[in-house]
Amino acid sequence: MVLEKINAPNDIHRIPLGEFPRLAEEIREFLIDHVSKTGGHLASNLGAVELTIALHNILEFPEDKLIWDVGHQAYTHKILTGRKEGFKTLRKEGGLSGFPKREESFCDAFDTGHSSTSISAGLGYVRARDLRKENHYVISVIGDGALTGGMAYEALNNAAELDTNFIIVLNDNNMSISPNVGGMSSYLSALRTAEAYTGMKMNVTKTLKKIPKVGTALVDTVRKTKSSIKQMIIPGMLFENMGLTYLGPVDGHDMPKMMKLLNEAKRVEGPVLVHVLTKKGKGYEMAVRHPSRFHGTGPFDVSTGLPLKKQGKASYTDIFSTVMRKMGDREKQVVAITAAMPTGTGLKRFANMFPDRFFDVGIAEEHAVTFAAGLALGGMIPVVAIYSTFLQRAVDQILHDVCTQNLHVVFAVDRAGLVGADGETHQGCFDLSYLTMIPNMTVMAPKNKWELSDMMKFAVHHSGPVAVRYPRGTAYDGLEEYRDPVAYGKSEWLTDKKGSEIALFALGSMVETAVEVQKNLDSQEIPSTLINARFAKPLDTKTLDTLAEKGCRLLVTMEENVRSGGFGELVLDYMSAHHPQVQVKIIAIEDTFVSHGDVDSLKKKLGLDAQSITEIIKNCRKKEE
Ligand SMILES: Cc1ncc(C[n+]2csc(CCOP(=O)(O)OP(=O)(O)O)c2C)c(N)n1
């Protein structure tokens, strides 16, 4: 086994080049074997095996810096830097992270998870290197999907001014999670189909350069010519015109060719883009055929490709998907927007039924939101479906472009709360804070699957900006009997309205937990009142007044969000001003980033589970006595 010889960073330098194909094969077997057991990102990693080997062959760690965009495709990099053993615990609590982590290895130059950051971070490394008069290589690896994100262009624009080496590898597999979209994607496709001519183009350039005295000038002239002929001679003119050297495209599964080009890139004094063509899922037929399904997967049977865990009850995303499909039929003004996640957000069905009213804008959350503002002003009702963590990107657009103009844009905030295996870059723990702080915003969270449906309908008929946040995974199907119509700013009593000394005021996913807490308290003969808050903003202050009037002494707020700026703090703020005699206990995530692990176990650790909350309440009572 060649892979046995790789146990630490730079071990690859001791492997003869002739053994690289075997190494690539073994890494693929390793990836399929491990990811089929633990789950994880598969298709992108299978596509990047040879590219990663080629990169490691030309780099020296930790001196050189290798920055992965998004970071979901860095598994081979982890294997080649001595982390093979960690794959048994991939994405498990305390185990190997599914993304690059500086604290995990000195070979990880930059922590990632969100898209389109690699060129900016790389450029920062380059500028620091030059200022400190150091001498090492910096390589950013960005996918064609990630290249749809605005930050990548801001960084390219800035990088164009460089006169020292900076290598950007464009790992182009023609796929985001779903097929890639937009003008850049079409441009890359044109370059890709021109691949057969690449050799000819390079040769023409070389031949021209060989012409004594005038050769180089001739190539420069051709570069500057505004003619389509130049594309025949110098590929990648778009990048070239920006000031980057373009090399490629090169077959991303041909290691000798790639290494040759990468070594050439090392000699360029300036920013250089190496265009590498890869196949998502390469080496595992199921993943080649279904790259989206195997982008991120749970454990699966290698022989059939089928998930090991049968799909159980409907998820919140499934419910959202159904509501949107029905709503699309009834409400002709409704349009739907996704930022490169048509399947993940459940909008695929809407897209199939109403292709004219569906927009996949690429990994461009900021643009998605301002685009929605324009749609709203133009007379449509846009529903922007974005995961909580990725919507962080668009806070200014929500504030500046939607909320200041009080536009009717509906935000379907999926994966709100803890998401588990993807870790700190993906937990949806901040949206209540960044959304409730903005004037004009309405923020809701459903207690169960029926309420998500009701809230979506409410949101579409409301006016002004409105967000509905709901968690990842199975939708709660308890409390079906409680179905008060959703009314603006009104919470819902889940026990009779008499009230008691203890009130549980829970938001969204935490209502299910609160039901359990109440059961625990009941069994210990501690009476309590349970209220489904429904709205984080505006707060139902009438209900808070009623609770205080009915003798509430301890008000326990519950939310799956950070405490700072969240729902609980809003309640505390109101109660301390109007009912200071009532003690408010906030159950929320304390000031921390939550790393990867199983959601239930993370909740326990963070004190968000029913048992911990029951204990907290009992302790509060004891202190009172
Ligand atoms: C800001 C942001 N939005 C959405 C995502 C979700 N996401 C993860 S990977 C990915 C596709 C990336 O495509 P590409 O860069 O081409 O990499 P590939 O998986 O094809 O290798 C998306 C949309 C993200 N990570 N960050």
Side-chain angles (χ1 to χ4, degrees), residues 404-482:
T404 53
Q405 305 183 76
N406 202 15
L407 300 179
H408 184 202
V409 175
V410 179
F411 295 95
V413 187
D414 197 341
R415 303 324 194 248
L418 298 170
V419 299
D422 280 337
E424 50 266 71
T425 54
H426 283 64
Q427 312 285 10
C429 297
F430 301 97
D431 61 274
L432 288 175
S433 312
Y434 69 71
L435 291 173
T436 57
M437 74 174 181
I438 308 177
N440 289 337
M441 193 76 192
T442 296
V443 185
M444 296 187 273
K447 67 175 181 290
N448 62 15
K449 63 181 196 176
W450 295 282
E451 205 160 87
L452 172 57
S453 212
D454 295 345
M455 283 184 174
M456 279 310 301
K457 288 174 206 153
F458 172 87
V460 162
H461 295 119
H462 182 67
S463 60
V466 50
V468 183
R469 58 121 52 187
Y470 46 92
R472 177 175 189 270
T474 306
Y476 182 44
D477 59 1
L479 299 176
E480 186 182 357
E481 63 280 24
Y482 292 94

Side-chain angles (χ1 to χ4, degrees), residues 186-249:
S186 309
Y187 176 66
L188 294 179
S189 292
L191 289 181
R192 204 177 302 121
T193 46
E195 190 191 5
Y197 302 104
T198 305
M200 196 258 289
K201 286 172 190 165
M202 296 287 260
N203 284 341
V204 173
T205 311
K206 266 191 196 154
T207 315
L208 284 178
K209 277 189 174 170
K210 274 185 200 149
I211 302 172
K213 290 187 185 148
V214 292
T216 308
L218 208 57
V219 172
D220 279 350
T221 311
V222 172
R223 276 206 162 106
K224 284 174 197 145
T225 324
K226 281 200 173 167
S227 117
S228 56
I229 296 172
K230 75 186 169 193
Q231 184 61 44
M232 280 289 292
I233 297 172
I234 301 164
M237 274 316 287
L238 189 136
F239 299 108
E240 291 268 342
N241 279 343
M242 277 185 78
L244 286 95
T245 300
Y246 172 92
L247 298 179

Side-chain angles (χ1 to χ4, degrees), residues 44 72 113-115 143-146 173 175-176 280 295 363 365 390:
S44 320
H72 62 303
H114 287 198
S115 161
D144 57 303
N173 53 26
M175 289 286 292
S176 195
K280 214 162 173 168
H295 178 89
I363 312 179
E365 289 80 5
F390 303 139

Side-chain angles (χ1 to χ4, degrees), residues 561-605:
N561 191 80
V562 288
R563 174 191 165 104
S564 181
F567 166 68
E569 283 197 350
L570 289 172
V571 174
L572 175 63
D573 191 39
Y574 180 80
M575 294 304 279
S576 56
H578 297 88
H579 308 289
Q581 77 282 8
V582 180
Q583 186 194 349
V584 177
K585 182 73 205 164
I586 297 175
I587 305 293
I589 298 166
E590 291 304 327
D591 190 25
T592 184
F593 287 110
V594 182
S595 62
H596 51 281
D598 167 73
V599 169
D600 286 338
S601 149
L602 291 175
K603 277 191 179 168
K604 262 198 191 115
K605 205 163 136 190

Side-chain angles (χ1 to χ4, degrees), residues 1 3-4 6 25-43 45-46 75-76 78-79 83-92 96-98 284 294 296-302 308:
M1 289 271 287
L3 195 50
E4 272 171 12
I6 299 215
E25 219 171 285
E26 287 174 14
I27 288 175
R28 282 211 169 83
E29 282 162 17
F30 181 96
L31 288 173
I32 296 165
D33 179 40
H34 281 80
V35 177
S36 67
K37 290 179 183 130
T38 58
H41 288 94
L42 186 62
N45 279 298
L46 289 175
Y75 289 9
T76 301
K78 294 202 178 206
I79 293 169
R83 282 174 274 177
K84 252 182 329 193
E85 283 307 309
F87 275 81
K88 290 186 190 114
T89 61
L90 180 67
R91 292 151 47 99
K92 305 262 179 287
L96 195 73
S97 162
Y284 180 48
F294 284 95
T297 173
F300 62 93
D301 178 335
V302 178
L308 289 186

